[in-house]
Amino acid sequence: MENVGQLTVSRPIYSEDLFKEEYEKVQRHHKTMLDHLKAYFSCSKQKAKSVALTLLPIASWLPAYRFKEWIVQDMISGVSTGLVSVLQGLGFALLASVPAGYGLYAAFYPILIYFFFGTSKHISVGPFPVLSLMVGAVVNNLVPTSINATDVTLNERRVTVASSVTFLVGIFQLGLGILQVGFIVIYLSQTLVSGFTCAAAVNVLISQLKFILGISIDSPSGPLSNIWVLRDIFTQLHKTNIADLVTSIIIMIVVFVVKELNDRYKAKLPVPIPIEVIMTIIACGVSYACDFENIYNVDVVGTVVEGYQAPVAPDFEVLKNSVMDAFSMAIVGFAIAFSVAKVYSIKHDYVIDGNQELIAFGLSNMFCGSFKGFAASTSLSRSAVQESTGGKTQLAGLISALMSMIVILWIGFLLYPLQKSVLASLIVINLKGMLMQLREVPYLYRKDKPDCVVWIVSFIASVLLGLDIGLAVALGIELITVLFRTQYPRCEVLANIEGTEIYKDKKDYACVFEQEGVKIFRCPSPIFFANIDFFREKLTAAVGFNPLRILRKRNKALRKLKKLLKKGELQVTSRGLVLANAVVLSESEDDLNPEELDKPVNCKDFPVEINWNDDLPANIQVPRIYLHSIVLDFSSVSFLDISALKGLKALLSHIEIQFYSPGYIIEKLEQCSFFDNEIKSSIFFLTIHDAMLHIQETHPQTTRVYTDNLFLCCQQSSNPETKF
């Protein structure tokens, strides 16, 4: 065995009171809510400058921009990201159920606003498939294809719905940012987001099958909509457009192979091969040269909107009917964007502000919605391109927006013959990363089954019930698992590791020593109204008896002994209590008020001391208890609520306990007037070992605990000593 250092510490056995007497505690002022409000609303030059720089991050990073070092890299990154952004904007417009050209607006406007207000240097802001699909669900719900309208009118109404929902998403995000509740994203765990985005990828895949196969079906929305879509696809499978199907297969194979090569040789390639752009150009050329639209009757992008349109006000009827959907989109969009931004901020060592990100995305979506775009977040693939090609700042994002502007203003007409099946193929092949998250299920099952349940429920609910309801269900299941973990914690009975001051679960180690007459019980969880009964049950099981039952038995026995003594049938001698005559006690003599039975045993007025573990006269039977001390280790108890305090106090009233607890718990007990004449602060100890040594001194007849290596660590623990 490798030689290790030795630890030897000599110090007194410290209770909390003794420790306070020897070491003066610093009195700290804990800020109240009023103090925080005053600080928040106070004003000074320094604070005004700090707020201005926080709300407008460009004022911080732009003056420090290293033009000669970074401009070339930002330009290369911006152009590369912009090419991908244009294609994804066109493709994700199909998910949003709006004409493809409007996806260019979603790839342009949000970046302009984020450039000024965003704090991440590497994420690519714009359309995201999950959000686009959620927007499309609202569009299909409010403007179904079955209504009687011309194509132009139908598209206009759909654009209005999409832009209005986007505006509402922005309002929610901006409001949450102003209220400084960016922390809300922590309630969406990585497991939940993984299951949700994987389900969204399945939804996207199903929604794109009609374009890949070239068939025309309705786009239902709501629960089980995916099942109806698959049913319609299979019933119309014989109408598959072979030209669209063949084109899609070729596109997906080529793009998949080249992307794999990009991943394998990314260290050697200066920039990834823009295969999506190359295949799109080839597909446009082949479709135009061979006149696919007329000869094979394929569905093409058609006329792409040229130039920019005047801003429009949102439709208030749409806002009223899409509140919950918009709120779900606001949370999902921010959660995904913040997760990606956090990864890159850690990698490149800079700070992002969650609340400012909410404000930035809120303003971006409001601006985008006003100009007929749809909801934006960040795309994992675009962000990866922007970071891997050397992007240094938000300027790379601005340059990528210029690529969208070029298409909008000058070359959008060249996309007219592009088959929608090509865009659908590019969308599907880019779902690989999200679909591969299915591989997490076996890992989660082996490592953490509650997390595995969250993933599976999130996935199934989002696929079957829709993304909005699925998210709510997943969040509910996640909170239930958290409550389950805290409501039913893994409580342990500890024992001493021989020759040390260390105490571990006695089931986990062979060389442990459990002192006779003592139980050490640990609860690694907050104790509150939901688990106080569970805590009491586990403690009762650990000590091996029900304290309330023993208390009642002893009170009944004491009552009987007092009656016998009063009648002269029981005499006090030098040998103890002696029965004068044979006596048979009736049950009526044993009656006591239930409230009297629950009071602590009072032997003060009894002439001799009663040993409850000896044989009692008159065949009075009381269970024998050889446990004299209970140690409660509260080192992992982060808080106690009022219900827990009442439950603990009730436990103390059933059996006479000296209670030990950590410092911050003591403060809570003092604030709630927990201490009285029966329960005093002098019974608190700093460590389990202090408590055990104290028990050894007060019960010298028991086996001594090991004291070879007494340690000086303020492990917060508790030790109740039980005396009946």
Side-chain angles (χ1 to χ4, degrees):
M1 181 184 294
E2 181 182 352
N3 291 330
V4 294
Q6 296 293 316
L7 173 66
T8 303
V9 177
S10 177
R11 65 166 175 82
I13 299 173
Y14 280 124
S15 68
E16 283 286 347
D17 284 355
L18 290 175
F19 189 79
K20 288 179 181 178
E21 290 176 7
E22 187 165 340
Y23 298 97
E24 183 180 358
K25 189 175 182 180
V26 176
Q27 297 298 322
R28 293 183 296 164
H29 172 69
H30 296 282
K31 290 185 177 181
T32 63
M33 181 62 71
L34 183 60
D35 293 329
H36 286 290
L37 288 174
K38 286 180 179 179
Y40 184 78
F41 289 105
S42 63
C43 187
S44 65
K45 289 183 179 180
Q46 188 64 29
K47 185 174 181 180
K49 181 181 178 181
S50 175
V51 170
L53 292 176
T54 300
L55 294 177
L56 204 63
I58 189 175
S60 298
W61 65 263
L62 190 58
Y65 188 82
R66 302 175 189 174
F67 188 84
K68 292 182 180 180
E69 297 178 33
W70 293 348
I71 187 61
V72 175
Q73 291 175 300
D74 276 342
M75 289 182 66
I76 294 173
S77 176
V79 171
S80 303
T81 308
L83 294 174
V84 178
S85 181
V86 168
L87 294 179
Q88 290 191 351
L90 295 170
F92 295 161
L94 303 182
L95 300 178
S97 299
V98 298
Y102 287 91
L104 297 175
Y105 293 156
F108 175 76
Y109 287 114
I111 298 177
L112 296 182
I113 302 301
Y114 191 85
F115 175 75
F116 292 98
F117 295 96
T119 59
S120 175
K121 301 176 182 180
H122 294 93
I123 63 171
S124 174
V125 179
F128 180 62
V130 176
L131 278 190
S132 301
L133 193 65
M134 295 177 79
V135 171
V138 177
V139 170
N140 291 326
N141 183 40
L142 298 181
V143 190
T145 53
S146 57
I147 66 172
N148 295 322
T150 63
D151 289 343
V152 175
T153 304
L154 184 67
N155 287 336
E156 287 179 352
R157 293 179 64 178
R158 291 190 160 199
V159 169
T160 299
V161 171
S163 60
S164 298
V165 171
T166 298
F167 189 87
L168 186 56
V169 169
I171 290 177
F172 279 127
Q173 290 177 330
L174 179 62
L176 292 173
I178 292 174
L179 294 174
Q180 302 285 292
V181 290
F183 64 85
I184 195 172
V185 73
I186 66 176
Y187 294 105
L188 301 179
S189 68
Q190 187 62 41
T191 304
L192 184 151
V193 172
S194 174
F196 178 79
T197 53
C198 188
V202 172
N203 289 1
V204 171
L205 175 62
I206 293 173
S207 71
Q208 296 306 292
L209 288 177
K210 64 179 181 180
F211 296 110
I212 291 174
L213 299 173
I215 58 180
S216 178
I217 61 172
D218 291 334
S219 299
S221 60
L224 304 181
S225 59
N226 284 330
I227 295 178
W228 312 138
V229 170
L230 291 174
R231 180 201 62 185
D232 293 343
I233 288 174
F234 281 113
T235 56
Q236 298 192 41
L237 203 57
H238 62 283
K239 297 181 181 179
T240 299
N241 189 307
I242 301 301
D244 274 329
L245 180 59
V246 172
T247 302
S248 299
I249 293 174
I250 293 173
I251 292 289
M252 285 191 285
I253 291 175
V254 173
V255 172
F256 177 80
V257 170
V258 176
K259 277 183 169 290
E260 289 298 310
L261 292 174
N262 279 339
D263 288 340
R264 179 170 296 183
Y265 299 106
K266 60 183 178 181
K268 298 180 180 180
L269 293 172
V271 293
I273 300 172
I275 187 60
E276 293 101 332
V277 178
I278 294 172
M279 295 306 296
T280 301
I281 294 173
I282 293 173
C284 268
V286 172
S287 176
Y288 176 76
C290 299
D291 197 14
F292 279 5
E293 182 181 11
N294 296 317
I295 296 176
Y296 298 104
N297 197 32
V298 300
D299 197 6
V300 297
V301 169
T303 303
V304 176
V305 290
E306 294 185 6
Y308 296 104
Q309 301 188 24
V312 293
D315 187 320
F316 286 94
E317 191 66 26
V318 173
L319 300 183
K320 183 177 67 174
N321 293 326
S322 59
V323 172
M324 294 308 299
D325 299 283
F327 186 76
S328 299
M329 288 183 235
I331 299 300
V332 171
F334 171 66
I336 292 171
F338 187 75
S339 300
V340 176
K342 194 172 182 180
V343 170
Y344 289 122
S345 70
I346 293 172
K347 181 178 179 180
H348 294 278
D349 192 24
Y350 62 88
V351 178
I352 57 173
D353 185 341
N355 294 315
Q356 182 59 27
E357 287 293 291
L358 269 173
I359 293 173
F361 278 103
L363 293 173
S364 296
N365 280 316
M366 291 175 67
F367 195 69
C368 183
S370 299
F371 286 90
K372 299 187 177 180
F374 53 86
S377 178
T378 186
S379 167
L380 282 68
S381 58
R382 286 199 315 271
S383 298
V385 170
Q386 182 168 319
E387 191 267 345
S388 63
T389 52
K392 296 296 183 182
T393 64
Q394 292 90 324
L395 187 60
L398 184 64
I399 294 172
S400 72
L402 297 180
M403 302 300 294
S404 301
M405 184 182 71
I406 291 172
V407 176
I408 292 171
L409 294 178
W410 295 297
I411 64 174
F413 69 94
L414 296 176
L415 297 171
Y416 181 95
L418 180 63
Q419 296 167 247
K420 288 185 178 179
S421 59
V422 173
L423 295 175
S425 302
L426 295 177
I427 291 173
V428 169
I429 207 65
N430 279 292
L431 295 175
K432 176 194 168 187
M434 288 193 286
L435 290 173
M436 293 302 287
Q437 293 176 114
L438 279 166
R439 295 183 300 181
E440 294 182 13
V441 176
Y443 173 82
L444 290 172
Y445 182 79
R446 293 192 303 268
K447 302 297 183 181
D448 195 321
K449 288 181 175 60
D451 263 2
C452 185
V453 170
V454 171
W455 198 103
I456 293 173
V457 171
S458 176
F459 177 81
I460 294 175
S462 299
V463 169
L464 295 181
L465 303 179
L467 296 178
D468 50 351
I469 299 177
L471 178 63
V473 172
L475 187 58
I477 290 296
E478 183 180 52
L479 294 178
I480 288 173
T481 61
V482 173
L483 290 175
F484 182 83
R485 291 175 196 251
T486 55
Q487 188 170 351
Y488 302 103
R490 183 179 179 272
C491 298
E492 302 169 338
V493 176
L494 306 183
N496 179 246
I497 301 295
E498 293 184 356
T500 73
E501 82 297 340
I502 298 170
Y503 295 83
K504 294 288 186 180
D505 189 341
K506 70 175 186 178
K507 296 179 181 179
D508 294 339
Y509 295 88
C511 55
V512 294
F513 164 72
E514 189 171 14
Q515 184 174 341
E516 182 183 352
V518 182
K519 287 290 183 182
I520 309 173
F521 183 77
R522 186 170 80 93
C523 179
S525 164
I527 302 177
F528 59 109
F529 65 93
N531 67 1
I532 181 62
D533 291 333
F534 177 82
F535 170 80
R536 189 185 294 113
E537 291 171 6
K538 284 294 183 181
L539 180 59
T540 299
V543 299
F545 60 88
N546 187 328
L548 183 58
R549 178 174 173 271
I550 301 300
L551 179 67
R552 289 175 176 174
K553 287 280 187 181
R554 290 185 178 181
N555 271 322
K556 287 182 179 180
L558 182 63
R559 174 76 171 177
K560 292 176 184 179
L561 292 174
K562 286 182 177 180
K563 283 187 176 182
L564 292 174
L565 194 63
K566 185 177 181 181
K567 292 178 180 179
E569 297 171 349
L570 191 66
Q571 298 178 355
V572 179
T573 68
S574 59
R575 294 179 297 168
L577 297 174
V578 177
L579 194 64
N581 302 305
V583 179
V584 178
L585 294 175
S586 65
E587 288 298 320
S588 60
E589 293 180 289
D590 189 32
D591 289 341
L592 270 178
N593 187 330
E595 294 183 359
E596 295 292 327
L597 291 178
D598 292 347
K599 291 182 178 180
V601 178
N602 186 3
C603 299
K604 292 180 179 179
D605 57 348
F606 204 73
V608 295
E609 183 179 353
I610 302 175
N611 186 342
W612 295 107
N613 287 332
D614 285 345
D615 292 331
L616 299 178
N619 291 324
I620 297 174
Q621 299 293 324
V622 175
R624 298 184 180 186
I625 302 299
Y626 297 101
L627 186 72
H628 58 75
S629 300
I630 301 172
V631 178
L632 293 182
D633 175 9
F634 274 13
S635 59
S636 300
V637 177
S638 57
F639 71 89
L640 297 167
D641 71 354
I642 296 299
S643 299
L645 293 179
K646 290 180 179 178
L648 289 175
K649 198 151 191 174
L651 181 65
L652 298 180
S653 67
H654 294 157
I655 51 178
E656 194 176 322
I657 295 179
Q658 295 181 12
F659 203 86
Y660 302 88
S661 183
Y664 57 88
I665 297 295
I666 296 173
E667 293 178 2
K668 176 69 174 180
L669 299 178
E670 289 174 344
Q671 292 171 5
C672 297
S673 302
F674 186 81
F675 303 117
D676 51 28
N677 293 332
E678 299 293 331
I679 308 170
K680 300 179 180 179
S681 61
S682 59
I683 56 180
F684 292 87
F685 286 80
L686 295 181
T687 70
I688 295 178
H689 205 57
D690 281 298
M692 293 297 290
L693 293 175
H694 173 73
I695 292 171
Q696 171 193 308
E697 289 186 348
T698 55
H699 297 82
Q701 72 278 9
T702 61
T703 308
R704 298 180 64 84
V705 300
Y706 288 93
T707 59
D708 300 71
N709 294 310
L710 187 61
F711 77 132
L712 189 58
C713 174
C714 289
Q715 174 186 351
Q716 295 164 332
S717 62
S718 57
N719 164 28
E721 182 184 24
T722 310
K723 296 180 181 177
F724 291 100

